[in-house]
Amino acid sequence: MAISSKDQHTPAADIGAGGKRLSFRDELDSERYSVVDEDWAGRIPAQYGVAPRVRIGTSKWFNLLWLIPIGLLLLVVGIAVAKGLRELPAVQDFMAQYPGTSELPDNAPVGFPAWLGWQHFLNAFLMIFIIRSGITIMADHPRFYWTRHSTPGKDWFRMQKPVPEDPLYTAKADSITLPDGVGLPGRRHSIGLARWWHLGVDTLWLLNGIVFFILIFATGQWMRLVPMSWDVIPNSISVAIQYLSLDWPAETGWVNYNSLQLIAYFITVFLAAPAALITGLGMSPALSTKFKWISSVFSIQVARSLHFVVMVWFLLFIVVHVTLVLTTGALRNLNHMYASRDDETWVGFWIFAASLVVMIIAWVAATPFTYRRPRVVQRVGYALIGPAQRLFEHIDSNPGQYTEKDISPYFWHNGKYPETDEYKELEQTAFADYRLVVGGLVQNPVELSLTQLRALPYHEQITQHFCIQGWSGVAKWGGVRMQDILDLVQPKPEAKWVIFYSFAHGPDGGIYYDAQAIEQMSYKLTMLAYDMNNEALSFGHGAPLRLRNETQLGFKMVKWIKGIEFVEHFSEVGGGLGGYNNDHEFFGYRQSI
């Protein structure tokens, strides 16, 4: 369902004296969507991918579902080998010397305080939304790369068929649908909502983690999570043999974890959790463009791949952790974490059961709630992550991070292509009659041909594109800096936002548009590009003119630009939310992360 904003905003007249075009607001769809229903996103159909695959060598792909029977076979073999090893005198002596636990300092705490139980529950509860929304984000570009660029055939992991030969195949066409109980949400190309869940809950998870780190160091609990001697290695080998032989080690978690537990907890708390934060920030266009000494090595695709690997670690850890908790003395283990007591009463079980009910209800309700109340999800998500986004987007950067050798061999197409007669006629004449209309709250409105645009001071930059879907590419852009356009038209003091209008229509009708803060128009890497990689901009990449604003994600870099309007606020334009994707698909007008 969509709500019209025409009754809230009265657009200024689009045609001025002498028939001169002043604005393109009459071509906008002024509706804003309030639910996700069958009409949402232009009725984009469901599309399902393939079983997860990992590339072997240059062209072979291994179906990861084969790991299930292979893993079961290896488990059976491992059990048989471990049982045989335990019969060997040398192994028995080794296990007697290294029973499975390392010595703790005399001042190490014993037991589990109540705050640790609450932290444990909150962490598990928040991880539900983080992992599910992360899978939906992954499904929007279901491929991972170790290269800086996202060239088909260079992916090391995919959940989609090989990219077809169609030269106009888009990244959005590559997205896949997920079951609603798995993804959050499951609908295809619902990445806008998934990101509000992911980034918003990430903020809460980070705050919970900060409190956790403060408390474990303040109370000494850190000593139970950090290996303090090298004998943790042989002890962990001993524990592994005990687990595999099905003659499991004694559970002593109230006093001291066994060495295999210790290593797993240490990796999760001190390596995986910080890695999740660092790799997440590594996918920010604003930060990557600013801190180029880091992102030149630690590229968005490396960050994205490592972020995925961290998620896989968390999933494996959760499965193994829960399995062992329930099979090595469930009542005592649940009492440890949920009741802060070391006995085999049912208190911890019932507290655990109640927490499990809460998590199941949240799991089941999250996706339907998102479909019914997407604007609530957006508002809450923005309230949580918005301060960081506002902070990061005020970062200006200098050119020079990349050279021509870094230019990507493939740069994905994206967006709905322009199909109007107006655009086709201009394209047939190589845009000889094209005019860029620049107006609104300016002292000197202008209409500029491509010849006039090329006569302005030429600006060139080699930069990396960050698509909200996750793919990236480095290209060389040539054109005119937006600062030169500002100098030409002289914006009035009340102009705070700049609206870019496209020849292309959005999937729900009405032309595509996006609002940009006027502050960012003066950034060194904000420009109107008419060249790409030393050639005129191609149709698929936005001919004749497209925006480059390297502090933002790709959907904000409008292609096929027909007009620019300076306004006091974007609330008076279109659906009033700052852009076509914001009005229709719940994206944000600030997307520097």
Side-chain angles (χ1 to χ4, degrees):
M1 183 177 69
I3 299 176
S4 174
S5 60
K6 289 179 180 178
D7 56 340
Q8 301 176 37
H9 311 296
T10 305
D14 295 313
I15 306 297
K20 187 173 183 178
R21 167 71 80 173
L22 298 179
S23 173
F24 294 92
R25 297 190 201 182
D26 62 330
E27 299 181 42
L28 296 174
D29 175 22
S30 59
E31 294 181 338
R32 60 176 70 162
Y33 276 70
S34 60
V35 297
V36 176
D37 57 15
E38 64 275 4
D39 295 324
W40 177 80
R43 291 178 172 267
I44 184 171
Q47 174 176 264
Y48 297 94
V50 298
R53 286 163 163 75
V54 172
R55 183 159 55 88
I56 306 297
T58 57
S59 59
K60 301 295 183 181
W61 289 88
F62 175 73
N63 187 333
L64 291 178
L65 292 183
W66 280 105
L67 289 179
I68 297 175
I70 292 173
L72 290 174
L73 177 61
L74 291 177
L75 180 60
V76 171
V77 172
I79 291 172
V81 170
K83 283 183 173 293
L85 287 175
R86 292 198 68 160
E87 299 299 321
L88 300 176
V91 174
Q92 292 174 354
D93 292 342
F94 170 80
M95 294 177 64
Q97 183 178 359
Y98 299 104
T101 57
S102 300
E103 291 293 327
L104 286 177
D106 293 338
N107 62 335
V110 174
F112 300 91
W115 62 262
L116 191 59
W118 279 104
Q119 283 274 317
H120 185 270
F121 166 73
L122 288 173
N123 187 66
F125 182 77
L126 296 174
M127 287 293 286
I128 291 173
F129 308 109
I130 292 172
I131 292 175
R132 289 182 60 200
S133 58
I135 293 172
T136 295
I137 293 170
M138 179 184 73
D140 225 54
H141 189 71
R143 308 174 190 274
F144 289 93
Y145 316 80
W146 294 115
T147 53
R148 180 176 299 280
H149 50 85
S150 302
T151 300
K154 295 297 184 181
D155 40 345
W156 67 270
F157 174 95
R158 62 179 171 87
M159 293 176 57
Q160 177 60 295
K161 299 173 184 176
V163 176
E165 296 295 329
D166 181 4
L168 295 180
Y169 184 70
T170 67
K172 185 173 180 179
D174 204 51
S175 62
I176 60 175
T177 306
L178 296 171
D180 282 342
V182 176
L184 180 56
R187 286 285 292 269
R188 183 180 172 203
H189 196 58
S190 56
I191 188 170
L193 290 166
R195 280 172 54 88
W196 292 124
W197 271 109
H198 197 71
L199 297 175
V201 178
D202 271 344
T203 305
L204 298 177
W205 182 73
L206 178 60
L207 293 175
N208 188 58
I210 291 172
V211 172
F212 173 76
F213 272 96
I214 291 173
L215 289 175
I216 63 170
F217 283 104
T219 62
Q221 286 285 337
W222 68 270
M223 287 183 279
R224 304 187 61 196
L225 299 173
V226 178
M228 295 187 179
S229 67
W230 286 107
D231 72 358
V232 71
I233 303 299
N235 272 302
S236 65
I237 295 172
S238 173
V239 172
I241 294 173
Q242 293 175 63
Y243 276 129
L244 269 178
S245 66
L246 302 183
D247 185 5
W248 291 358
E251 175 55 47
T252 59
W254 184 256
V255 177
N256 192 4
Y257 296 125
N258 70 55
S259 292
L260 211 54
Q261 286 178 302
L262 177 62
I263 291 174
Y265 294 156
F266 176 78
I267 291 174
T268 302
V269 173
F270 294 100
L271 298 181
L277 172 63
I278 294 168
T279 55
L281 293 177
M283 292 181 273
S284 161
L287 292 180
S288 294
T289 304
K290 180 63 177 179
F291 300 107
K292 46 182 172 283
W293 60 275
I294 297 177
S295 60
S296 292
V297 177
F298 187 62
S299 72
I300 174 181
Q301 294 308 325
V302 172
R304 187 169 179 261
S305 290
L306 291 175
H307 203 66
F308 171 69
V309 171
V310 170
M311 184 194 75
V312 172
W313 168 265
F314 277 125
L315 285 172
L316 290 174
F317 174 82
I318 290 169
V319 170
V320 174
H321 176 64
V322 172
T323 300
L324 292 179
V325 164
L326 297 179
T327 55
T328 59
L331 292 181
R332 184 175 294 275
N333 287 334
L334 293 175
N335 272 334
H336 287 176
M337 187 52 64
Y338 287 92
S340 298
R341 54 197 295 170
D342 185 31
D343 56 37
E344 295 189 3
T345 62
W346 287 78
V347 177
F349 172 84
W350 292 117
I351 297 174
F352 165 72
S355 71
L356 196 61
V357 169
V358 171
M359 288 190 282
I360 291 173
I361 292 173
W363 185 305
V364 173
T367 290
F369 178 82
T370 302
Y371 290 153
R372 290 194 298 267
R373 297 287 187 269
R375 293 297 176 193
V376 173
V377 172
Q378 183 181 26
R379 286 195 295 270
V380 173
Y382 181 72
L384 293 169
I385 195 63
Q389 289 190 335
R390 291 193 296 271
L391 173 66
F392 294 158
E393 71 177 4
H394 295 297
I395 298 176
D396 194 3
S397 303
N398 292 315
Q401 179 174 1
Y402 304 107
T403 63
E404 292 200 8
K405 67 179 178 62
D406 298 310
I407 293 175
S408 303
Y410 186 90
F411 198 98
W412 282 79
H413 292 176
N414 219 357
K416 191 174 186 295
Y417 295 119
E419 301 172 340
T420 62
D421 292 338
E422 175 191 17
Y423 182 83
K424 291 177 180 178
E425 290 171 3
L426 289 171
E427 187 182 24
Q428 288 173 357
T429 62
F431 301 100
D433 297 325
Y434 170 78
R435 297 294 182 273
L436 172 67
V437 179
V438 187
L441 298 176
V442 297
Q443 302 289 349
N444 180 35
V446 296
E447 293 186 9
L448 301 171
S449 67
L450 276 179
T451 301
Q452 290 171 313
L453 284 167
R454 289 182 178 275
L456 293 171
Y458 187 71
H459 174 75
E460 193 172 79
Q461 63 190 44
I462 301 176
T463 51
Q464 180 165 251
H465 180 92
F466 292 74
C467 180
I468 192 172
Q469 294 179 260
W471 62 269
S472 62
V474 175
K476 182 179 182 180
W477 307 99
V480 56
R481 286 185 60 199
M482 272 303 297
Q483 180 60 60
D484 291 323
I485 299 295
L486 267 60
D487 293 341
L488 181 64
V489 300
Q490 293 295 306
K492 296 179 180 179
E494 59 267 30
K496 305 298 182 186
W497 293 87
V498 187
I499 311 297
F500 292 85
Y501 299 100
S502 175
F503 283 106
H505 284 69
D508 295 305
I511 63 173
Y512 191 89
Y513 81 100
D514 194 77
Q516 307 270 326
I518 196 169
E519 167 201 359
Q520 296 182 8
M521 298 302 98
S522 297
Y523 286 1
K524 301 179 186 71
L525 296 179
T526 303
M527 65 178 294
L528 296 176
Y530 46 72
D531 289 339
M532 179 182 179
N533 297 336
N534 299 318
E535 296 180 358
L537 204 60
S538 68
F539 165 71
H541 289 123
L545 200 66
R546 68 169 295 161
L547 175 67
R548 297 300 308 172
N549 178 358
E550 309 303 344
T551 65
Q552 297 287 352
L553 291 171
F555 77 91
K556 294 186 69 64
M557 301 186 197
V558 180
K559 298 186 287 290
W560 309 291
I561 294 175
K562 66 193 299 186
I564 302 173
E565 183 182 7
F566 290 77
V567 300
E568 186 171 358
H569 196 268
F570 56 70
S571 59
E572 61 194 54
V573 180
L577 297 177
Y580 193 96
N581 278 329
N582 314 344
D583 297 337
H584 293 256
E585 296 184 21
F586 315 106
F587 286 30
Y589 67 90
R590 282 187 164 99
Q591 298 279 234
S592 59
I593 300 177

